[in-house]
């Protein structure tokens, strides 16, 4: 109940003066004899006493009503918004912005004037510098400093072979190995500095019979911190061993900037960490401030001089890519930075100087931490960007054994990985900039990341990146597996059906993967995909009504693939077009004819498919001879021709013996004798050409006539059965006889007779396979002859 008493007491406190007086009198009368010192604190007994007394209870109620009552305000005043809530017009906003800018400029000018006053105050202490006392305080440090720098120099001599070995190891090293070697060199350098620092402590303990003095310890601490900063700077620019350098500095630039930055670090470090504290204790705080101010002024002027001296060099370096024709966004940004970098750098130096003047202690601490954070962020970011840039430029190498199995893997990997590395490089640059801005208190992204909106946005992008990486990895794995199965040099040689189905599967999988990954990525970054799915359904329905032919193509093509009607590489006839199947998709087939014409035939227009490459084929040999020839002699000729063909270049394409069927037709001018032989699919036309060539030669040798069409002219006859004479008018009395064909004499080469006829080489002489081993498609004459025409 104590909380209730406190509430009521607080209400009574703010109720009004009349009720307060009554409560005060009542409280004082009831607590006159209370000596416990708690008369001023409300208690449960006080509340009970107030409620039991009618007068006090009535006053309590009146006071509570008065406290709960709020006087009505003027309607016009209530409706008038506050001055700051009044919506401003564009001129008003411009005026406010100009007024704010003028106020900021005035504040900045006042800060500069105050800083000048502070500098005068700091310089006023220069007269209190006591040189003898300072020398007396610094002399004991001299021996320790000599030992420290001797050990440091000895360490550099010892480190030189180690660094040369590390530099030589980077000849064939990749970016990660080079980064590892660079870190190892930094660790070796840091160990030598720690050893020199420890030797200084030992020297102070030995020479001065105990622990180092305060000034000696100041020097040792300053030495350790300054040299460690130099180690970090050396890792970043690597001035002495360019083979270990990952940053894009030339040898001259690395040595130049390392020289001046290391001198500035030593000057400022030893002044603030050693000299100024010694002067502070030996002379006066004003003298120490004067020394600090003089060193800072000298450093500021030196940095401005370095910036102005190298303004043109850095500008040309940054604009080099743009001048060489690079039109990328990064080249334009670098060119712009090259124009203004010196002004920004000088402004930064002057701003840091003013901040230090206004607050030497806190300002120095802030500047030091912000600068170290910025340098560390730029060093780490520069190393990351440099490694990523080298990877992007060189690509991801694939071992030769893997390239033999998967020839397209390297090209496929290097089409995805560089793009991903480019995105990572951009993210690294943004992260470095954000960290630097927060280090200088210009941006507080860590506070934003702590909010639910920041965590949701960053988590969404990270999840989207992971989904993209997983999707690419799955695509590469599936595509590589399909490529491996289609590679005839490894594993099981794929059949034509497997090649077709695997190609269709890869295309369908790629489309499905792209759609699924796109939907998941949009969902991760906070876009509601439900309306997209609904819209896609509506669009799909509309497209379905308008693309019935397309749907028919797909359905017919699916059934053709299920029935294995054709595959890539088959010789087919589709809609009167015969040729080799070169492309087979889910909705169309691409056919290359004998004369090289390429036809694209949609499946919806396919009425029938004639596949000449299914399992086996037959060559049907029809030989037409004159009526006077003996059929048995013709059969023997056909069998002998087949026996000779079995010894020729097309023998590997024969799958059976010669089936002699006999007389198949008594034609107008010839007796047709038919036989048949089984061949490999797609080779029947080449086998027929070889067979007909042998038959023609044997028929000439044996005197068997292969007739051409004859015509008999009947002139009628008289009653006695005699034909009337034929009257032929001859205008030309003498005719010139054709010269007899002169047989080609054989040529003698090395004592052997040869002819001009080129030797045949394999079954390509009969049009079965081309020079690259691909089957030659037939023309319409081949198809007609194989289908029952005369051989």
């Amino acid at each position: 109940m104590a909380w209730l008493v406190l509430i009521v007491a607080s209400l009574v406190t703010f109720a009004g003066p009349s009720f307060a007086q009554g409560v005060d009198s009542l409280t004082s009368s009831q607590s006159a004899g209370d000596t416990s010192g708690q008369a001023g604190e409300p208690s449960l007994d006080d509340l009970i006493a107030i409620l039991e007394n009618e007068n006090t209870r009535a006053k309590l109620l009146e006071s509570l009503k008065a406290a709960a009552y709020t006087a009505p305000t003027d309607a016009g005043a209530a409706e008038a918004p506050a001055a700051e809530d009044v919506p401003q017009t564009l001129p008003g906003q411009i005026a406010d912005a100009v007024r704010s800018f003028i106020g900021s400029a005035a504040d900045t000018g006042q800060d500069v004037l105050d800083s000048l006053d502070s500098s005068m105050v700091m310089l006023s202490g220069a007269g209190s510098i006591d040189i003898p006392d300072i020398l007396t305080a610094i002399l004991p440090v001299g021996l320790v400093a000599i030992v420290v720098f001797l050990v440091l120099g000895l360490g550099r001599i010892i480190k030189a072979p180690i660094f040369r070995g590390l530099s030589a190891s980077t000849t064939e090293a990749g970016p990660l190995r080079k980064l590892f070697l660079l870190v190892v060199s930094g660790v070796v350098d840091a160990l030598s500095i720690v050893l020199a620092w420890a030797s200084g402590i030992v020297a102070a303990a030995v020479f001065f019979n105990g622990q180092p003095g305060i000034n000696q310890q100041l020097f040792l601490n300053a030495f350790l911190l300054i040299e460690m900063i130099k180690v970090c700077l050396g890792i970043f620019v690597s001035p002495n061993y360019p083979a270990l350098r990952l940053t894009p500095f030339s040898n001259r630039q690395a040595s130049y900037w390392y020289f001046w930055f290391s001198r500035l670090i030593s000057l400022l470090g030893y002044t603030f960490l050693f000299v100024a504290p010694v002067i502070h204790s030996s002379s006066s705080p004003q003298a120490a401030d004067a020394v600090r101010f003089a060193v800072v002024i000298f450093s500021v002027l030196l940095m401005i001089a370095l910036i102005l001296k190298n303004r043109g060099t850095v500008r040309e370096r940054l604009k080099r890519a743009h001048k060489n024709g690079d039109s990328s966004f990064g080249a334009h940004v670098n060119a712009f930075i090259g124009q203004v970098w010196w002004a920004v750098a000088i402004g930064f130096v002057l701003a840091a100087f003013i901040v230090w003047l206004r607050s030497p202690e806190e300002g120095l601490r802030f500047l030091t931490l912000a600068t170290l954070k910025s340098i560390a962020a730029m060093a780490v970011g520069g190393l990351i960007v440099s490694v990523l840039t080298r990877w992007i430029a060189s690509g991801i190498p694939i071992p030769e054994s893997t390239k033999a199995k998967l020839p397209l893997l390297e090209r496929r990997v290097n089409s995805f990985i560089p793009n991903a590395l480019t995105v990572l490089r951009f993210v690294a640059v943004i992260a470095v900039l954000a960290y630097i801005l927060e280090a200088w208190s210009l941006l507080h992204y860590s506070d934003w990341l702590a909010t639910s909106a920041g965590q949701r946005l960053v988590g969404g992008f990270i999840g989207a990146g992971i989904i993209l990486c997983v999707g690419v990895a799955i695509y590469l794995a599936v595509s590589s597996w399909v490529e491996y199965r289609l590679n005839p040099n490894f594993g099981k040689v794929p059949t034509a059906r497997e090649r077709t189905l695997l190609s269709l599967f890869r295309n369908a999988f790629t489309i499905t993967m792209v759609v699924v990954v796109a939907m998941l990525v949009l969902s991760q970054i906070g876009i509601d995909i439900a309306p997209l799915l609904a819209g896609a359904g509506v669009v799909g329905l509309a497209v379905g009504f308008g693309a019935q032919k397309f749907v028919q193509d797909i359905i017919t093509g699916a059934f053709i693939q299920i029935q294995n009607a054709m595959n890539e590489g088959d010789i087919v006839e589709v809609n009167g077009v015969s040729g080799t199947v070169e492309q087979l998709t889910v909705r169309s087939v691409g056919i290359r004819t004998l004369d090289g014409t390429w036809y694209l035939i949609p499946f919806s227009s396919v009425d029938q498919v004639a596949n000449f490459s299914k399992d086996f084929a037959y060559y049907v040999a029809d030989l037409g001879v004159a009526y006077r020839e003996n059929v048995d002699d013709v059969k023997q000729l056909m069998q002998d021709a087949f026996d000779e063909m079995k010894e020729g270049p097309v023998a590997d394409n024969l799958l059976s013996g010669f089936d002699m069927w006999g007389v198949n037709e008594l034609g107008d001018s010839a007796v047709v004798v038919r036989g048949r032989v089984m061949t490999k699919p797609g080779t029947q036309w080449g086998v027929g050409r070889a067979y007909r060539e042998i038959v023609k030669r044997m028929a000439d040798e044996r005197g068997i006539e292969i007739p051409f069409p004859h015509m008999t002219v009947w002139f009628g006859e008289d009653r006695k059965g005699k034909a009337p004479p034929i009257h032929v008018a001859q205008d030309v009395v003498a005719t010139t006889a054709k010269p007899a064909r002169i047989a080609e004499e054989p040529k003698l080469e090395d004592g052997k007779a040869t002819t001009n006829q080129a030797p045949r080489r394999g079954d390509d002489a009969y049009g079965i396979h081309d020079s690259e081993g691909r089957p030659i498609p037939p023309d319409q004459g081949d198809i007609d002859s194989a289908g029952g025409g005369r051989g």
Side-chain angles (χ1 to χ4, degrees), residues 129-202:
I129 297 178
D130 191 347
I131 301 297
D133 290 344
I134 295 174
L135 293 177
T136 302
I138 292 179
L139 283 178
V141 183
L143 185 59
V144 176
I146 292 173
V147 173
V148 169
F149 286 110
L150 283 177
V151 175
L152 182 63
L154 181 63
R156 288 177 179 174
I157 296 175
I158 297 174
K159 289 184 301 182
I162 299 176
F163 283 173
R164 285 195 295 268
L166 293 175
S167 179
S169 300
T170 61
T171 304
E172 301 295 336
L176 284 180
R177 178 172 173 78
K178 186 177 289 188
L179 177 61
F180 172 75
L181 295 175
L182 186 62
V183 172
V184 170
S185 67
V187 171
V188 172
D189 211 356
L191 289 176
S192 67
I193 293 171
V194 172
L195 182 61
W197 174 76
S199 65
I201 294 178
V202 173

Side-chain angles (χ1 to χ4, degrees), residues 73-82:
T73 58
D74 184 48
E79 293 177 359

Side-chain angles (χ1 to χ4, degrees), residues 19-293:
F19 179 69
Q21 292 174 359
V23 173
D24 288 340
S25 62
L26 178 62
T27 306
S28 60
S29 63
Q30 291 182 350
S31 59
D34 189 359
T35 59
S36 62
Q38 299 177 356
E41 297 182 1
S43 64
L44 187 60
D45 295 335
D46 296 336
L47 179 60
I48 294 173
I50 291 173
L51 296 177
E52 287 180 346
N53 191 310
E54 294 182 0
N55 294 329
T56 57
R57 185 170 64 250
K59 291 180 179 180
L60 174 62
L61 293 175
E62 292 178 358
S63 299
L64 292 175
K65 291 179 180 179
Y69 176 74
T70 302
T73 58
D74 184 48
E79 293 177 359
E84 58 272 13
D85 294 336
V86 176
Q88 294 183 352
T89 61
L90 180 60
Q93 294 177 359
I94 295 175
D96 287 343
V98 173
R99 184 179 60 182
S100 301
F101 176 75
I102 294 175
S104 301
D107 294 341
T108 303
Q110 187 63 39
D111 291 341
V112 172
L113 294 177
D114 295 340
S115 301
L116 293 177
D117 294 338
S118 301
S119 63
M120 294 298 103
V121 172
M122 296 179 72
L123 283 176
S124 63
S128 61
I129 297 178
D130 191 347
I131 301 297
D133 290 344
I134 295 174
L135 293 177
T136 302
I138 292 179
L139 283 178
V141 183
L143 185 59
V144 176
I146 292 173
V147 173
V148 169
F149 286 110
L150 283 177
V151 175
L152 182 63
L154 181 63
R156 288 177 179 174
I157 296 175
I158 297 174
K159 289 184 301 182
I162 299 176
F163 283 173
R164 285 195 295 268
L166 293 175
S167 179
S169 300
T170 61
T171 304
E172 301 295 336
L176 284 180
R177 178 172 173 78
K178 186 177 289 188
L179 177 61
F180 172 75
L181 295 175
L182 186 62
V183 172
V184 170
S185 67
V187 171
V188 172
D189 211 356
L191 289 176
S192 67
I193 293 171
V194 172
L195 182 61
W197 174 76
S199 65
I201 294 178
V202 173
V206 171
F207 295 147
F208 298 97
N209 299 323
Q211 296 181 349
I214 183 64
N215 293 335
Q216 295 168 342
Q217 193 62 52
L218 285 173
F219 167 76
L220 291 173
N221 292 342
F223 167 80
L224 182 63
L225 180 60
I226 292 169
E227 295 301 324
M228 286 298 179
I229 294 176
K230 290 182 181 180
V231 168
C232 297
L233 181 62
I235 292 176
F236 185 68
V237 298
S238 187
N240 299 322
Y241 299 95
L244 294 171
R245 189 182 306 132
L246 289 177
T247 50
F249 287 101
S250 64
N251 295 337
R252 190 189 69 82
Q253 290 176 335
S255 301
Y256 179 85
W257 290 111
Y258 180 79
F259 174 84
W260 286 110
F261 275 110
S262 61
R263 267 56 179 181
L264 283 172
I265 291 171
S266 298
L267 179 63
L268 293 173
Y270 283 112
T271 298
F272 279 86
L273 299 178
F274 172 62
V275 177
V278 171
I279 295 176
H280 184 279
S281 61
S282 301
S283 297
S284 65
Q286 292 78 14
D289 290 340
V291 172
R292 293 191 187 97
F293 180 79

Side-chain angles (χ1 to χ4, degrees), residues 733-756:
V733 178
T735 59
T736 303
K738 295 182 180 180
R741 178 177 297 176
I742 301 175
E744 183 179 5
E745 295 293 335
K747 296 180 180 180
L748 295 178
E749 294 182 4
D750 297 333
K752 297 181 180 180
T754 61
T755 61
N756 290 332

Side-chain angles (χ1 to χ4, degrees), residues 24 64 81 133 136 138 153 162 220 261 271 293 308 354 375 460 468-469 519 576 583 601 700 704 708 710:
D24 288 340
L64 292 175
D133 290 344
T136 302
I138 292 179
I162 299 176
L220 291 173
F261 275 110
T271 298
F293 180 79
L308 293 177
I354 293 174
I375 293 174
L468 284 174
C469 293
M519 290 298 178
Q583 181 184 6
I601 302 175
D700 292 342
I704 297 178
F708 50 85
H710 291 71

